[in-house]
Amino acid sequence: MIIRLLQFLVIIFMSNTTKMFYYKEIIINGENGCVQAFVNSKMAQRYNARLGNCLQNGCSNYRGSLTIPYCCRIQGFSCD
C-alpha cells in the first residue's frame, strides 16, 4: 500500500514540471542510433540526455518505441 502511494506521489510531482524533448546518442550492434523522449529536466539528467531531438542530430530513420513504466515513452531512430 505504501509503495503504491509513493508511486502515485512521484507521478504527481513529475507532472508539474515542464517537459521537453531530450535525446541521447547510442550504439546498438555497431550501428549509430539515437533515442528521444518527452521528459522533464530531472529525468533527462538521470540518463545524461541532451535537450533537442534525434532529427536535429541527423537521425531520421524511425525504428520503434518503448514505454518505460512511470517515466515516459522513448522513440528510437537509426542514423545515416
Side-chain angles (χ1 to χ4, degrees):
M1 179 68 172
I2 293 175
I3 293 174
R4 290 229 185 241
L5 179 62
L6 290 174
Q7 291 171 344
F8 179 71
L9 290 174
V10 167
I11 291 170
I12 288 176
F13 287 120
M14 288 179 61
S15 66
N16 292 336
T17 59
T18 304
K19 294 182 179 179
M20 301 178 79
F21 273 107
Y22 287 87
Y23 75 94
K24 182 171 176 116
E25 297 174 4
I26 58 170
I27 298 175
I28 296 178
N29 297 329
E31 184 179 337
N32 290 334
C34 179
V35 292
Q36 69 182 22
F38 192 66
V39 296
N40 60 32
S41 60
K42 289 181 183 180
M43 187 62 70
Q45 287 175 352
R46 281 185 169 179
Y47 295 103
N48 297 321
R50 297 184 208 155
L51 185 61
N53 60 35
C54 291
L55 186 59
Q56 294 171 338
N57 198 33
C59 302
S60 59
N61 301 325
Y62 180 75
R63 302 294 255 168
S65 64
L66 176 70
T67 300
I68 298 176
Y70 306 107
C71 170
C72 53
R73 171 166 277 224
I74 60 170
Q75 299 171 325
F77 296 85
S78 62
C79 303
D80 294 332

